């Protein structure tokens, strides 16, 4: 296990195994899979925006690892957590991430919920716009 970065205000160590699996150091002192657990602190990736992958690549290189491992980081879990979080801050961060990075089709169920129950009008309208766009793309 090679620690690559720390996430959240609690500075949770996050690393990658030799097989390319992203892990975090749980409170119990054991390493757990980010994809299996989807810990709540993963939502903080949304704060870093477009700089996240570039920073992660730089940290991987500094650790002597392949920077392509950054593409295996489960950012989709961060986005999903943000879309379902009971906070306008995290919901908006997730909507902004999808608008910037694309991939709304993977989050259609969550976007459907936000269309009706997003915490602000801006979130509801953004979710509706992305949902319509992804549905148009599916038809073509």
């Amino acid at each position: 296990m090679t620690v690559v970065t720390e996430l959240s205000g609690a500075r949770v160590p996050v690393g990658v195994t030799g097989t390319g699996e992203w892990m975090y150091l749980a409170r119990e002192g054991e390493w757990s899979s980010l994809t299996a657990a989807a810990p709540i602190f993963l939502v903080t990736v949304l704060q870093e925006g477009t700089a996240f992958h570039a920073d992660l690549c730089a940290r991987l290189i500094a650790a002597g690892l392949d920077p392509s491992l950054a593409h295996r980081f489960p950012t989709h879990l961060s986005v999903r957590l943000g879309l379902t979080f009971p906070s306008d801050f995290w919901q908006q961060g997730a909507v902004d991430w999808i608008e910037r990075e694309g991939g709304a089709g993977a989050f259609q169920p969550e976007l459907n919920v936000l269309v009706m129950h997003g915490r602000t009008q801006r979130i509801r309208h953004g979710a509706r716009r992305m949902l319509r766009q992804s549905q148009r793309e599916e038809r073509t």
Side-chain angles (χ1 to χ4, degrees):
M1 173 69 55
T2 303
V3 174
V4 177
T5 191
E6 294 175 335
L7 295 179
S8 90
R11 301 181 59 129
V12 177
V14 174
V16 64
T17 66
T19 60
E21 182 178 8
W22 286 94
M23 309 282 283
Y24 73 99
L25 187 59
R27 285 188 176 156
E28 300 79 33
E30 295 181 16
W31 289 94
S32 296
S33 170
L34 281 176
T35 55
I40 199 74
F41 71 81
L42 201 54
V43 75
T44 61
V45 166
L46 298 174
Q47 286 178 297
E48 298 185 39
T50 57
F52 179 73
H53 273 96
D55 181 57
L56 196 57
C57 284
R59 289 174 180 273
L60 285 162
I61 290 169
L65 298 170
D66 183 355
S68 69
L69 289 169
H71 298 292
R72 295 184 69 183
F73 190 90
T75 52
H76 65 284
L77 296 176
S78 301
V79 174
R80 187 160 281 118
L81 283 167
L83 292 171
T84 60
F85 215 87
S87 153
D88 56 338
F89 179 81
W90 294 118
Q91 286 180 2
Q92 188 62 59
V95 167
D96 292 346
W97 185 287
I98 296 170
E99 284 182 324
R100 187 177 54 252
E101 303 294 326
F107 304 103
Q108 284 187 3
E110 293 86 359
L111 291 170
N112 269 318
V113 171
L114 284 184
V115 166
M116 298 301 295
H117 303 289
R119 298 192 49 96
T120 67
Q121 183 178 19
R122 181 175 174 214
I123 291 167
R124 292 188 299 273
H125 286 195
R128 182 176 291 114
R129 183 176 54 257
M130 287 186 290
L131 191 57
R132 286 181 182 159
Q133 181 180 358
S134 77
Q135 290 169 341
R136 275 194 298 269
E137 289 171 0
E138 282 181 350
R139 287 190 290 260
T140 59

